[in-house]
Amino acid sequence: MNITMIGTGYVGLVTGTCFAEFGHFVTCVDTNTEKIAALQKGVIPIYEPGLDVLVQKNTTEGRLQFTNDMAQAVPEAEAVFIAVGTPSSRRGDGYADLSYIFAAAREIAGHLRGYTVVIDKSTVPVGTARQVDRIIREVNPQADFDVASNPEFLREGAAINDFMRPDRVVIGVASTKAEQVLREIYNPLYLRDTPIVSTTIETAELTKYAANAFLAVKISFINEIACVCESVNANVIDLAKAIGMDGRIGSKFLHPGPGYGGSCFPKDTLALMRIVQEHGENVRVVEAAVEVNAAQKARMVKKIREMLGGSETGKTIAVLGLTFKPETDDMRDAPSATILPALMEKGARIRAHDPKGMHEAREYLPKGIEYTENAYQAAEGADCLVLMTEWNQYRALDLEQLKQKLNDPVFIDLRNVYDPETMRAAGFRYTGVGRK
Ligand code: NAD
Ligand code: UGA
């Protein structure tokens, strides 16, 4: 099938490439000329493990191409996916900014030829697909098309595997014709026993927000329990393991940490709160999760301060990991972008390392941070070390070397990577999250 993907970001580029891997013919479109020029030369503008190999394979085999020109990409397509960004609005009120979606819809409209399904893959408030429908009809009253919703559940850093082996595919449709097109696109996954949940467009749109909000609630829940564990001298790792063994609870997303971040949970929880408010309803559990997440980041600042003897002023802090999670270069809403400025405001100096995120970090973090080539250089002369993001390369650090480099052997493990006893035996003053 001929597919066009509008937007070649973390979602569009991965899903477009994976559709090509299924055997479809995919054209990826983006308004960003630099991105497209890079992709045309085989340069991948983001870090996502395995993506470079898959892009190269599918471009070489003639199933994947990139362009800035919708006129070249849309007319031949039987399905046009919209995967542009839906960030929080700049007004700061939590509403999703739909301007990129609507601009894309307007441009697609003029180029539609023959029956086409226009599919929202971006995470969008309930009613957006209907608005896209209205825009296309206004711009091109002759167009023969249906709109549909096909939310995406992949995670950054594991995006290809998540897309190729999803727990389910959700398709929101209002016509059998559109459903048939979507089922054909996802047939390779269906053949591998992936459940396809076919529903109304509104249900599909809300399902995406509900899924992200539930995961955010789960993380905030364990972060709050971690705090209780510290007060009552309990161990959150054992506790999470024990409750997670209950199939009704499940073991995933019960890792305490510095608070959830990333391009989606923070913005999507806020957007859900606004959608719900507009309909005169409440999602108090989600509101609480958002509050707890902000408090968790503030708690991490306090934890670091306490480990520095009550004040960070004039102290040097080594930070390992800056991105919101490992295996991505994405810095959007990373906890480091809240925690580090708070410490710097009080006069702390930061020496930081991240395997893939330092280029992006320079844009998201305050000036004055010293970026180092490796973990040991970051530790050089520092008064404590904070493990912020659990990259694999920080899981087996040379503790002796680290201790020698640090001014004071203080290790603050915000991801509970290390064993407290081992760290104490190695001569560190150690603290994690949720373990006294
Ligand atoms: P992104 O910012 O990485 O990419 C968006 C791309 O769209 C950019 O390259 C931008 O230049 C392009 N774009 C904007 N307007 C355009 C237009 N009119 N025509 C063509 N291209 C245009 O965003 P992302 O992280 O890929 O997220 C996209 C959507 O998918 C969001 O709604 C997000 O919530 C959702 N989502 C993201 C993830 C994730 O892991 N990042 C996972 C699931 C769902
Ligand atoms: C998340 C969802 O997991 C995806 O299903 C969804 O498609 C995506 O958002 C989206 O809509 O964009 P992502 O943000 O890439 O994916 O990464 P996650 O692995 O979910 O991690 C999000 C944040 O939660 C990270 O900061 C991570 O460190 C934190 N987290 C995650 C925890 O603190 N504890 C956990 O147990 C799990």
Short mmCIF file of all heavy atoms in Angstrom, two decimals, residues 5-13 29-33 35 46 48 67-68 70 82-87 99-105 107 121-124 151-157 159 208-209 212 263-264 267-268 324 330 332, ligand 1:
data_model
loop_
_atom_site.label_atom_id
_atom_site.label_comp_id
_atom_site.label_asym_id
_atom_site.label_seq_id
_atom_site.Cartn_x
_atom_site.Cartn_y
_atom_site.Cartn_z
N MET A 5 3.46 9.65 5.55
CA MET A 5 3.59 9.97 6.97
C MET A 5 3.93 11.44 7.09
O MET A 5 4.97 11.88 6.59
CB MET A 5 4.71 9.10 7.55
CG MET A 5 4.93 9.22 9.03
SD MET A 5 3.55 8.66 10.03
CE MET A 5 3.46 6.93 9.62
N ILE A 6 3.06 12.21 7.70
CA ILE A 6 3.32 13.65 7.85
C ILE A 6 3.95 13.87 9.23
O ILE A 6 3.32 13.62 10.26
CB ILE A 6 2.02 14.48 7.74
CG1 ILE A 6 1.18 14.08 6.52
CG2 ILE A 6 2.32 15.98 7.76
CD1 ILE A 6 1.77 14.43 5.19
N GLY A 7 5.19 14.38 9.24
CA GLY A 7 5.93 14.56 10.49
C GLY A 7 6.92 13.41 10.64
O GLY A 7 6.52 12.25 10.70
N THR A 8 8.22 13.76 10.67
CA THR A 8 9.23 12.69 10.81
C THR A 8 9.99 12.87 12.12
O THR A 8 11.21 12.97 12.14
CB THR A 8 10.25 12.70 9.65
OG1 THR A 8 10.80 14.01 9.59
CG2 THR A 8 9.61 12.37 8.34
N GLY A 9 9.25 12.94 13.23
CA GLY A 9 9.87 13.03 14.55
C GLY A 9 10.02 11.64 15.13
O GLY A 9 10.13 10.65 14.41
N TYR A 10 10.02 11.58 16.46
CA TYR A 10 10.23 10.30 17.16
C TYR A 10 9.18 9.26 16.76
O TYR A 10 9.46 8.08 16.68
CB TYR A 10 10.23 10.51 18.68
CG TYR A 10 11.49 11.21 19.16
CD1 TYR A 10 11.59 12.60 19.16
CD2 TYR A 10 12.59 10.49 19.59
CE1 TYR A 10 12.75 13.25 19.57
CE2 TYR A 10 13.75 11.11 20.00
CZ TYR A 10 13.82 12.49 19.99
OH TYR A 10 14.98 13.11 20.39
N VAL A 11 7.95 9.71 16.51
CA VAL A 11 6.89 8.77 16.13
C VAL A 11 6.82 8.57 14.61
O VAL A 11 6.81 7.45 14.12
CB VAL A 11 5.53 9.25 16.68
CG1 VAL A 11 4.38 8.51 16.02
CG2 VAL A 11 5.48 9.01 18.17
N GLY A 12 6.76 9.67 13.87
CA GLY A 12 6.59 9.57 12.42
C GLY A 12 7.71 8.80 11.75
O GLY A 12 7.46 7.94 10.89
N LEU A 13 8.94 9.08 12.15
CA LEU A 13 10.07 8.42 11.50
C LEU A 13 10.10 6.92 11.83
O LEU A 13 10.34 6.09 10.96
CB LEU A 13 11.39 9.10 11.93
CG LEU A 13 12.65 8.60 11.22
CD1 LEU A 13 12.53 8.68 9.71
CD2 LEU A 13 13.88 9.39 11.68
N VAL A 29 7.04 12.98 5.13
CA VAL A 29 7.07 14.41 4.82
C VAL A 29 7.34 15.20 6.10
O VAL A 29 6.80 14.86 7.15
CB VAL A 29 5.70 14.88 4.27
CG1 VAL A 29 5.77 16.33 3.79
CG2 VAL A 29 5.21 13.98 3.16
N ASP A 30 8.13 16.25 5.98
CA ASP A 30 8.32 17.14 7.12
C ASP A 30 8.52 18.55 6.60
O ASP A 30 9.07 18.74 5.51
CB ASP A 30 9.52 16.70 7.97
CG ASP A 30 9.38 17.14 9.42
OD1 ASP A 30 9.44 18.37 9.68
OD2 ASP A 30 9.20 16.28 10.29
N THR A 31 8.06 19.54 7.40
CA THR A 31 8.27 20.93 7.01
C THR A 31 9.72 21.36 7.29
O THR A 31 10.18 22.36 6.74
CB THR A 31 7.33 21.85 7.82
OG1 THR A 31 7.29 21.39 9.16
CG2 THR A 31 5.93 21.88 7.23
N ASN A 32 10.40 20.60 8.15
CA ASN A 32 11.77 20.93 8.52
C ASN A 32 12.72 20.48 7.40
O ASN A 32 12.97 19.29 7.20
CB ASN A 32 12.09 20.23 9.85
CG ASN A 32 13.45 20.60 10.39
OD1 ASN A 32 14.39 20.83 9.63
ND2 ASN A 32 13.55 20.66 11.70
N THR A 33 13.25 21.49 6.68
CA THR A 33 14.06 21.16 5.49
C THR A 33 15.39 20.50 5.88
O THR A 33 15.87 19.61 5.18
CB THR A 33 14.35 22.44 4.66
OG1 THR A 33 14.72 23.47 5.56
CG2 THR A 33 13.14 22.87 3.86
N LYS A 35 15.96 18.52 8.44
CA LYS A 35 15.69 17.13 8.79
C LYS A 35 15.59 16.27 7.54
O LYS A 35 16.19 15.20 7.44
CB LYS A 35 14.34 17.06 9.53
CG LYS A 35 14.44 16.44 10.90
CD LYS A 35 13.07 16.36 11.54
CE LYS A 35 13.24 16.45 13.04
NZ LYS A 35 12.03 16.30 13.78
N ILE A 46 17.57 11.86 15.01
CA ILE A 46 17.37 11.57 16.43
C ILE A 46 18.15 10.31 16.81
O ILE A 46 18.56 9.57 15.92
CB ILE A 46 15.87 11.32 16.76
CG1 ILE A 46 15.30 10.21 15.86
CG2 ILE A 46 15.06 12.60 16.63
CD1 ILE A 46 13.93 9.69 16.29
N GLU A 48 17.66 6.81 18.21
CA GLU A 48 16.71 5.76 18.56
C GLU A 48 17.37 4.44 18.14
O GLU A 48 17.63 4.24 16.94
CB GLU A 48 15.37 5.97 17.83
CG GLU A 48 14.30 4.92 18.12
CD GLU A 48 13.90 4.84 19.60
OE1 GLU A 48 13.64 5.88 20.23
OE2 GLU A 48 13.87 3.71 20.13
N THR A 67 10.62 13.68 1.83
CA THR A 67 10.43 14.92 1.05
C THR A 67 9.84 16.02 1.93
O THR A 67 9.23 15.75 2.96
CB THR A 67 9.49 14.66 -0.16
OG1 THR A 67 9.28 15.88 -0.86
CG2 THR A 67 8.13 14.13 0.27
N ASN A 68 10.01 17.27 1.46
CA ASN A 68 9.35 18.40 2.11
C ASN A 68 8.05 18.73 1.39
O ASN A 68 7.29 19.59 1.83
CB ASN A 68 10.23 19.66 2.05
CG ASN A 68 11.45 19.56 2.92
OD1 ASN A 68 12.57 19.58 2.44
ND2 ASN A 68 11.23 19.44 4.21
N MET A 70 4.45 18.09 0.03
CA MET A 70 3.22 17.30 0.15
C MET A 70 2.66 16.95 -1.23
O MET A 70 2.06 15.89 -1.41
CB MET A 70 2.16 18.06 0.92
CG MET A 70 2.43 18.12 2.40
SD MET A 70 0.99 17.67 3.35
CE MET A 70 1.46 18.31 4.94
N ILE A 82 -1.04 11.49 10.16
CA ILE A 82 -0.55 12.76 10.71
C ILE A 82 0.16 12.44 12.02
O ILE A 82 -0.46 11.94 12.97
CB ILE A 82 -1.70 13.76 10.96
CG1 ILE A 82 -2.50 14.01 9.67
CG2 ILE A 82 -1.15 15.08 11.52
CD1 ILE A 82 -3.67 14.96 9.82
N ALA A 83 1.49 12.69 12.05
CA ALA A 83 2.27 12.38 13.25
C ALA A 83 3.09 13.60 13.67
O ALA A 83 4.25 13.49 14.04
CB ALA A 83 3.17 11.18 12.99
N VAL A 84 2.46 14.77 13.58
CA VAL A 84 3.16 16.00 13.97
C VAL A 84 3.03 16.20 15.49
O VAL A 84 2.26 15.50 16.15
CB VAL A 84 2.59 17.23 13.21
CG1 VAL A 84 2.75 17.04 11.71
CG2 VAL A 84 1.12 17.46 13.55
N GLY A 85 3.79 17.14 16.02
CA GLY A 85 3.78 17.35 17.47
C GLY A 85 2.48 17.95 17.98
O GLY A 85 1.79 18.68 17.25
N THR A 86 2.13 17.60 19.22
CA THR A 86 0.97 18.21 19.89
C THR A 86 1.42 18.64 21.29
O THR A 86 0.95 18.11 22.29
CB THR A 86 -0.22 17.23 19.99
OG1 THR A 86 0.26 15.98 20.53
CG2 THR A 86 -0.86 16.97 18.65
N PRO A 87 2.36 19.60 21.35
CA PRO A 87 2.90 19.99 22.66
C PRO A 87 1.85 20.74 23.49
O PRO A 87 0.79 21.10 22.97
CB PRO A 87 4.04 20.94 22.28
CG PRO A 87 3.65 21.49 20.94
CD PRO A 87 2.89 20.41 20.25
N SER A 99 -2.16 23.41 16.54
CA SER A 99 -1.92 24.20 15.33
C SER A 99 -1.17 23.39 14.26
O SER A 99 -1.43 23.54 13.07
CB SER A 99 -1.17 25.48 15.66
OG SER A 99 0.04 25.17 16.31
N TYR A 100 -0.25 22.50 14.70
CA TYR A 100 0.51 21.71 13.70
C TYR A 100 -0.41 20.70 13.00
O TYR A 100 -0.29 20.44 11.81
CB TYR A 100 1.67 20.96 14.37
CG TYR A 100 2.62 21.88 15.09
CD1 TYR A 100 2.56 22.04 16.48
CD2 TYR A 100 3.58 22.61 14.38
CE1 TYR A 100 3.43 22.89 17.14
CE2 TYR A 100 4.45 23.46 15.05
CZ TYR A 100 4.36 23.60 16.43
OH TYR A 100 5.21 24.45 17.08
N ILE A 101 -1.35 20.14 13.78
CA ILE A 101 -2.31 19.17 13.21
C ILE A 101 -3.17 19.87 12.16
O ILE A 101 -3.33 19.38 11.04
CB ILE A 101 -3.25 18.62 14.32
CG1 ILE A 101 -2.45 17.85 15.38
CG2 ILE A 101 -4.40 17.81 13.75
CD1 ILE A 101 -2.23 16.39 15.08
N PHE A 102 -3.71 21.03 12.53
CA PHE A 102 -4.63 21.72 11.63
C PHE A 102 -3.91 22.23 10.38
O PHE A 102 -4.45 22.18 9.27
CB PHE A 102 -5.36 22.85 12.36
CG PHE A 102 -6.24 22.36 13.49
CD1 PHE A 102 -6.51 23.17 14.59
CD2 PHE A 102 -6.78 21.08 13.46
CE1 PHE A 102 -7.32 22.70 15.63
CE2 PHE A 102 -7.58 20.60 14.50
CZ PHE A 102 -7.85 21.41 15.59
N ALA A 103 -2.66 22.70 10.57
CA ALA A 103 -1.88 23.16 9.40
C ALA A 103 -1.64 21.98 8.46
O ALA A 103 -1.77 22.12 7.24
CB ALA A 103 -0.55 23.76 9.87
N ALA A 104 -1.31 20.83 9.04
CA ALA A 104 -1.06 19.64 8.20
C ALA A 104 -2.34 19.26 7.46
O ALA A 104 -2.31 18.98 6.25
CB ALA A 104 -0.57 18.48 9.07
N ALA A 105 -3.48 19.29 8.17
CA ALA A 105 -4.76 18.89 7.56
C ALA A 105 -5.08 19.81 6.37
O ALA A 105 -5.49 19.34 5.30
CB ALA A 105 -5.88 18.97 8.59
N GLU A 107 -3.04 21.45 4.52
CA GLU A 107 -2.15 21.22 3.38
C GLU A 107 -2.45 19.89 2.69
O GLU A 107 -2.43 19.81 1.46
CB GLU A 107 -0.69 21.29 3.82
CG GLU A 107 0.13 22.00 2.75
CD GLU A 107 1.61 21.88 2.96
OE1 GLU A 107 2.04 22.03 4.13
OE2 GLU A 107 2.33 21.63 1.98
N LYS A 121 -2.26 10.01 14.01
CA LYS A 121 -1.43 9.15 14.86
C LYS A 121 -0.94 9.94 16.06
O LYS A 121 -0.67 9.40 17.12
CB LYS A 121 -0.25 8.56 14.07
CG LYS A 121 0.48 7.53 14.90
CD LYS A 121 1.32 6.59 14.12
CE LYS A 121 0.80 5.20 13.90
NZ LYS A 121 0.18 4.54 15.04
N SER A 122 -0.88 11.26 15.90
CA SER A 122 -0.50 12.11 17.04
C SER A 122 -1.50 11.91 18.17
O SER A 122 -2.64 11.51 17.94
CB SER A 122 -0.54 13.58 16.62
OG SER A 122 0.33 13.82 15.56
N THR A 123 -1.06 12.22 19.38
CA THR A 123 -1.94 12.17 20.55
C THR A 123 -2.76 13.45 20.57
O THR A 123 -2.20 14.54 20.70
CB THR A 123 -1.09 12.06 21.83
OG1 THR A 123 -0.27 10.89 21.70
CG2 THR A 123 -1.95 11.96 23.07
N VAL A 124 -4.07 13.31 20.41
CA VAL A 124 -4.91 14.51 20.26
C VAL A 124 -6.18 14.43 21.10
O VAL A 124 -6.72 13.35 21.33
CB VAL A 124 -5.32 14.70 18.78
CG1 VAL A 124 -4.14 15.13 17.94
CG2 VAL A 124 -5.96 13.45 18.20
N PRO A 151 -3.94 5.92 17.59
CA PRO A 151 -2.93 6.39 18.54
C PRO A 151 -1.74 5.44 18.62
O PRO A 151 -1.88 4.25 18.36
CB PRO A 151 -3.69 6.43 19.87
CG PRO A 151 -4.88 5.56 19.70
CD PRO A 151 -5.22 5.60 18.25
N GLU A 152 -0.60 6.01 19.00
CA GLU A 152 0.65 5.24 19.04
C GLU A 152 1.08 5.04 20.50
O GLU A 152 1.02 5.97 21.28
CB GLU A 152 1.72 6.00 18.25
CG GLU A 152 3.04 5.30 18.17
CD GLU A 152 2.87 3.84 17.75
OE1 GLU A 152 2.31 3.57 16.69
OE2 GLU A 152 3.30 2.95 18.52
N PHE A 153 1.52 3.83 20.82
CA PHE A 153 1.89 3.51 22.21
C PHE A 153 3.37 3.20 22.38
O PHE A 153 3.77 2.71 23.44
CB PHE A 153 1.04 2.33 22.70
CG PHE A 153 -0.43 2.62 22.70
CD1 PHE A 153 -1.23 2.22 21.64
CD2 PHE A 153 -1.02 3.32 23.75
CE1 PHE A 153 -2.60 2.50 21.61
CE2 PHE A 153 -2.39 3.61 23.74
CZ PHE A 153 -3.18 3.20 22.67
N LEU A 154 4.19 3.47 21.35
CA LEU A 154 5.61 3.13 21.49
C LEU A 154 6.30 4.01 22.52
O LEU A 154 5.84 5.12 22.82
CB LEU A 154 6.32 3.23 20.14
CG LEU A 154 6.41 4.59 19.40
CD1 LEU A 154 7.45 5.50 20.00
CD2 LEU A 154 6.71 4.34 17.94
N ARG A 155 7.40 3.48 23.08
CA ARG A 155 8.24 4.25 24.01
C ARG A 155 9.53 4.62 23.30
O ARG A 155 10.05 3.81 22.52
CB ARG A 155 8.64 3.40 25.23
CG ARG A 155 7.56 3.11 26.21
CD ARG A 155 7.98 1.96 27.09
NE ARG A 155 8.31 0.79 26.27
CZ ARG A 155 9.01 -0.27 26.70
NH1 ARG A 155 9.49 -0.30 27.92
NH2 ARG A 155 9.25 -1.29 25.90
N GLU A 156 10.06 5.79 23.58
CA GLU A 156 11.36 6.15 23.03
C GLU A 156 12.41 5.21 23.62
O GLU A 156 12.27 4.74 24.75
CB GLU A 156 11.69 7.61 23.37
CG GLU A 156 10.83 8.55 22.56
CD GLU A 156 11.05 10.02 22.89
OE1 GLU A 156 12.12 10.37 23.39
OE2 GLU A 156 10.13 10.80 22.63
N GLY A 157 13.42 4.93 22.84
CA GLY A 157 14.49 4.04 23.31
C GLY A 157 14.18 2.57 23.06
O GLY A 157 15.08 1.74 23.06
N ALA A 159 11.52 1.97 20.71
CA ALA A 159 10.42 2.29 19.79
C ALA A 159 10.19 1.22 18.72
O ALA A 159 9.05 0.87 18.43
CB ALA A 159 10.70 3.65 19.14
N LYS A 208 -5.82 6.80 24.26
CA LYS A 208 -4.40 7.16 24.32
C LYS A 208 -4.10 7.97 25.59
O LYS A 208 -3.13 7.70 26.31
CB LYS A 208 -4.02 7.95 23.06
CG LYS A 208 -2.63 8.53 23.08
CD LYS A 208 -1.55 7.47 23.11
CE LYS A 208 -0.22 8.07 23.50
NZ LYS A 208 0.85 7.09 23.66
N TYR A 209 -4.93 8.98 25.87
CA TYR A 209 -4.70 9.79 27.07
C TYR A 209 -4.89 8.95 28.33
O TYR A 209 -4.16 9.11 29.31
CB TYR A 209 -5.66 10.99 27.10
CG TYR A 209 -5.23 12.12 26.20
CD1 TYR A 209 -5.94 12.45 25.06
CD2 TYR A 209 -4.11 12.88 26.51
CE1 TYR A 209 -5.55 13.48 24.24
CE2 TYR A 209 -3.70 13.92 25.70
CZ TYR A 209 -4.41 14.22 24.56
OH TYR A 209 -4.00 15.25 23.75
N ASN A 212 -1.71 6.77 28.92
CA ASN A 212 -0.56 7.52 29.45
C ASN A 212 -0.84 8.00 30.88
O ASN A 212 0.05 7.97 31.73
CB ASN A 212 -0.24 8.71 28.55
CG ASN A 212 0.72 8.31 27.43
OD1 ASN A 212 1.09 7.15 27.31
ND2 ASN A 212 1.12 9.27 26.61
N SER A 263 8.45 13.66 26.59
CA SER A 263 7.62 14.52 25.75
C SER A 263 6.15 14.19 25.88
O SER A 263 5.32 14.85 25.27
CB SER A 263 8.06 14.38 24.30
OG SER A 263 7.75 13.08 23.85
N CYS A 264 5.80 13.16 26.65
CA CYS A 264 4.39 12.77 26.64
C CYS A 264 3.66 12.76 27.98
O CYS A 264 2.63 13.40 28.10
CB CYS A 264 4.25 11.45 25.91
SG CYS A 264 4.58 11.69 24.15
N LYS A 267 2.86 16.35 29.35
CA LYS A 267 1.89 17.14 28.55
C LYS A 267 0.55 16.43 28.44
O LYS A 267 -0.50 17.08 28.45
CB LYS A 267 2.47 17.47 27.17
CG LYS A 267 2.37 16.34 26.15
CD LYS A 267 2.60 16.84 24.74
CE LYS A 267 2.73 15.69 23.74
NZ LYS A 267 1.53 14.92 23.49
N ASP A 268 0.57 15.10 28.36
CA ASP A 268 -0.70 14.38 28.14
C ASP A 268 -1.57 14.34 29.40
O ASP A 268 -2.80 14.36 29.30
CB ASP A 268 -0.42 12.96 27.62
CG ASP A 268 0.13 12.96 26.20
OD1 ASP A 268 0.06 14.02 25.54
OD2 ASP A 268 0.64 11.92 25.75
N PHE A 324 15.50 12.18 29.80
CA PHE A 324 14.42 11.78 30.71
C PHE A 324 14.40 10.28 30.98
O PHE A 324 13.79 9.82 31.94
CB PHE A 324 13.06 12.27 30.19
CG PHE A 324 12.46 11.47 29.07
CD1 PHE A 324 11.46 10.54 29.33
CD2 PHE A 324 12.87 11.65 27.76
CE1 PHE A 324 10.88 9.80 28.29
CE2 PHE A 324 12.30 10.91 26.72
CZ PHE A 324 11.31 9.98 26.99
N ASP A 330 16.36 12.57 23.84
CA ASP A 330 15.25 13.52 24.06
C ASP A 330 15.35 14.14 25.46
O ASP A 330 15.43 13.43 26.47
CB ASP A 330 13.92 12.75 23.91
CG ASP A 330 12.74 13.67 23.65
OD1 ASP A 330 12.88 14.89 23.90
OD2 ASP A 330 11.69 13.18 23.23
N ARG A 332 13.08 16.62 26.37
CA ARG A 332 11.82 17.31 26.67
C ARG A 332 11.30 16.90 28.05
O ARG A 332 11.14 15.73 28.33
CB ARG A 332 10.78 17.02 25.57
CG ARG A 332 11.12 17.68 24.24
CD ARG A 332 10.14 17.36 23.16
NE ARG A 332 10.31 16.03 22.61
CZ ARG A 332 9.60 15.54 21.58
NH1 ARG A 332 8.68 16.29 21.02
NH2 ARG A 332 9.81 14.33 21.13
P1 NAD B 1 8.41 15.48 17.23
O1 NAD B 1 8.38 16.86 17.71
O2 NAD B 1 9.61 14.63 17.44
O3 NAD B 1 8.12 15.44 15.65
C1 NAD B 1 7.11 16.17 15.02
C2 NAD B 1 7.57 16.47 13.59
O4 NAD B 1 6.48 17.03 12.87
C3 NAD B 1 8.70 17.49 13.51
O5 NAD B 1 9.77 16.95 12.77
C4 NAD B 1 8.08 18.70 12.80
O6 NAD B 1 8.99 19.41 11.99
C5 NAD B 1 7.00 18.03 11.98
N1 NAD B 1 5.90 18.90 11.55
C6 NAD B 1 5.25 19.85 12.25
N2 NAD B 1 4.28 20.40 11.50
C7 NAD B 1 4.31 19.78 10.30
C8 NAD B 1 3.54 19.89 9.10
N3 NAD B 1 2.53 20.76 9.00
N4 NAD B 1 3.85 19.10 8.07
C9 NAD B 1 4.87 18.22 8.14
N5 NAD B 1 5.62 18.06 9.25
C10 NAD B 1 5.35 18.84 10.31
O7 NAD B 1 7.12 14.78 17.86
P2 NAD B 1 6.95 13.25 18.31
O8 NAD B 1 7.64 13.01 19.60
O9 NAD B 1 7.23 12.38 17.14
O10 NAD B 1 5.37 13.23 18.62
C11 NAD B 1 4.42 13.31 17.60
C12 NAD B 1 3.07 12.95 18.18
O11 NAD B 1 3.06 11.58 18.61
C13 NAD B 1 2.67 13.75 19.43
O12 NAD B 1 1.28 13.95 19.40
C14 NAD B 1 3.04 12.83 20.57
O13 NAD B 1 2.26 13.08 21.72
C15 NAD B 1 2.70 11.49 19.99
N6 NAD B 1 3.46 10.36 20.57
C16 NAD B 1 4.80 10.51 20.81
C17 NAD B 1 5.52 9.42 21.31
C18 NAD B 1 7.01 9.55 21.60
O14 NAD B 1 7.58 8.59 22.12
N7 NAD B 1 7.66 10.64 21.27
C19 NAD B 1 4.89 8.19 21.51
C20 NAD B 1 3.52 8.09 21.23
C21 NAD B 1 2.82 9.19 20.76
#
